[in-house]
């Protein structure tokens, strides 16, 4: 199996999901901190995989001091619960062999 490269779509989705499991993420944060240039596309793909992610509009200042209206993505508690349940089921299936 080929591992995803650092900037593959899969790797970008993984970085965004890991961040969202800890805290919300804005467009500017995704670009600056996670090296994801088009976070909206990756979030759409994560939603397509069944993750419940809510989008809020907020304002942030860019590195040059300009105010921008950006998206803030939030992973819902229901989605987090579902992930934990899936992990537990996979763990149990792995130990039942």
């Amino acid at each position: 199996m080929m591992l995803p490269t650092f900037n593959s779509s899969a790797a970008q989705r993984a970085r965004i999901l890991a961040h969202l499991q800890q805290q919300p993420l804005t467009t500017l944060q995704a670009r600056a901190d996670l090296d994801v240039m088009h976070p909206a596309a990756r979030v759409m793909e994560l939603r397509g995989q069944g993750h419940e992610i809510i989008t809020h509009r907020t304002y942030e200042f860019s590195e040059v001091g300009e105010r921008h209206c950006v998206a803030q993505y939030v992973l819902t508690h229901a989605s987090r619960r579902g992930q934990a349940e899936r992990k537990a089921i996979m763990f149990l299936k792995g130990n039942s062999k």
Side-chain angles (χ1 to χ4, degrees):
M1 178 177 162
M2 180 181 255
L3 295 175
T5 62
F6 179 77
N7 267 329
S8 68
S9 296
Q12 291 179 27
R13 284 192 302 271
R15 292 196 302 272
I16 288 175
L17 186 57
H19 186 98
L20 289 174
Q21 289 170 337
Q22 301 300 314
Q23 61 190 0
L25 178 69
T26 68
T27 300
L28 295 181
Q29 289 172 322
R31 290 178 180 158
D33 301 340
L34 304 180
D35 199 32
V36 176
M37 296 298 109
H38 191 19
R42 303 295 84 85
V43 169
M44 184 182 71
E45 293 162 358
L46 288 168
R47 287 178 178 140
Q49 294 174 355
H51 299 282
E52 294 179 34
I53 301 170
I54 298 170
T55 302
H56 298 283
R57 290 287 170 195
T58 188
Y59 289 91
E60 282 191 359
F61 289 92
S62 67
E63 290 182 9
V64 297
E66 292 294 321
R67 186 173 183 242
H68 294 273
C69 181
V70 298
Q72 180 186 52
Y73 303 107
V74 180
L75 187 66
T76 67
H77 291 293
S79 187
R80 290 182 188 150
R81 244 191 338 268
Q83 291 169 9
E85 290 168 1
R86 284 190 294 276
K87 286 181 183 177
I89 290 168
M90 289 174 61
F91 175 78
L92 292 173
K93 285 182 177 180
N95 285 340
S96 65
K97 291 181 181 179

